[in-house]
Amino acid sequence: MDRCVVLVDAGYLLGAAASLLAGEPARSRISVDHATLIQGLRERAEAETERPLLRIYWFDGAPDRVPQPEHRRLRVMPRVTVRLGALTRSDGRWAQKGVDAAMHAELTELARNRACSDIVLVTGDGDLLPGLMSAKEHGVAVHLWAVQAADGDYNQSEDLVAEADERRVLDRAWITRAVRAKDLAGACAPVSEPRPEIAAILSAPLPETAAAAAAGAVSGISGVSGDLAPGRNGATRPGTAPARGAGGPGRTPAG
């Protein structure tokens, strides 16, 4: 039938987007507007295949295959079907299990049943090569979409690229319509005003400034109530220095 289907490997799509926008493939480094992303995928698939959309399949991993909030949002959207594999942690890293197999099965079944004339694959995994080749043998045109690589190189299996009927790149401008890098530095930045004890230290005068300020204070006091002269052990006592007028040093009292 003259319809198109989009199969999305969410781990690839969002991981590559995180690498492009945030410098590392951690999906926690980006925020995603899923409604805008799905609409963008639909519009681009229909424009490039010149076929109406049958469905978007969203393949992702989840702990114990339990739908996460983003999966619950996605699966109630029109023309979207969510397929979940397992998400396991090994050697400090998360890994999807069963996602490739599910994509391969769906790809093969769609082609065998002639449910569509064109299939868009958003993935980079070479494990899907047999399914891609099977779809082509059943007369389905396979369009392979890549996310722009952060280093300017390929981030897809070379065999997939070679076997696909068409290849397109979702560039930075397209990705940033729905995906943004999180400003993690802003969340950890110190408050603009330091704590009171730190503020007191920062506002204290330097030693030379403090000595000059003290000398000025002594001069001001002497002009009002008499000079202070040094006494024993550096102490001061009033009335021992020559009297100066209220004008302070450098000025002559009025006669």
Side-chain angles (χ1 to χ4, degrees):
M1 299 183 69
D2 291 340
R3 298 179 294 188
C4 68
V5 171
V6 181
L7 305 183
V8 179
D9 178 352
Y12 165 78
L13 172 60
L14 300 182
S19 292
L20 178 64
L21 302 180
E24 59 180 278
R27 288 164 62 171
S28 60
R29 296 292 307 276
I30 56 174
S31 58
V32 183
D33 181 341
H34 290 89
T36 300
L37 181 58
I38 291 298
Q39 184 62 26
L41 289 169
R42 177 174 186 168
E43 291 175 354
R44 182 152 181 166
E46 290 181 335
E48 292 199 2
T49 64
E50 299 181 347
R51 301 285 188 269
L53 177 76
L54 171 62
R55 190 173 298 115
I56 293 176
Y57 288 90
W58 185 271
F59 295 88
D60 203 1
D64 298 323
R65 290 185 167 85
V66 176
Q68 301 301 298
E70 65 182 274
H71 303 135
R72 293 197 292 270
R73 289 193 297 270
L74 284 162
R75 65 183 183 178
V76 298
M77 293 181 185
R79 305 276 178 164
V80 177
T81 296
V82 176
R83 297 279 189 258
L84 294 179
L87 191 63
T88 60
R89 192 171 182 83
S90 177
D91 297 330
R93 300 180 62 185
W94 290 100
Q96 296 181 155
K97 299 294 183 182
V99 171
D100 296 338
M103 288 190 71
H104 178 275
E106 200 71 57
L107 175 60
T108 304
E109 197 69 13
L110 288 167
R112 181 183 296 119
N113 293 330
R114 299 188 180 278
C116 57
S117 59
D118 295 74
I119 291 178
V120 175
L121 281 178
V122 186
T123 186
D125 199 330
D127 290 345
L128 286 177
L129 182 62
L132 185 155
M133 297 177 69
S134 175
K136 289 174 62 178
E137 289 170 0
H138 284 87
V140 175
V142 180
H143 307 253
L144 183 65
W145 288 3
V147 175
Q148 179 181 339
D151 58 4
D153 201 354
Y154 284 115
N155 55 11
Q156 290 176 304
S157 162
E158 185 178 337
D159 291 333
L160 281 182
V161 174
E163 285 293 333
D165 293 305
E166 301 283 349
R167 183 179 184 268
R168 296 289 185 270
V169 175
L170 304 176
D171 62 16
R172 179 185 292 269
W174 191 93
I175 291 294
T176 52
R177 295 175 188 174
V179 184
R180 295 286 187 275
K182 292 180 179 178
D183 184 11
L184 298 182
C188 301
V191 294
S192 57
E193 294 184 1
R195 298 195 304 271
E197 61 271 22
I198 297 178
I201 294 172
L202 295 177
S203 62
L206 296 174
E208 309 91 278
T209 306
V218 169
S219 298
I221 294 173
S222 67
V224 177
S225 58
D227 289 336
L228 297 179
R232 182 179 301 173
N233 296 328
T236 57
R237 52 190 177 85
T240 58
R244 290 194 292 267
R251 296 183 59 185
T252 304

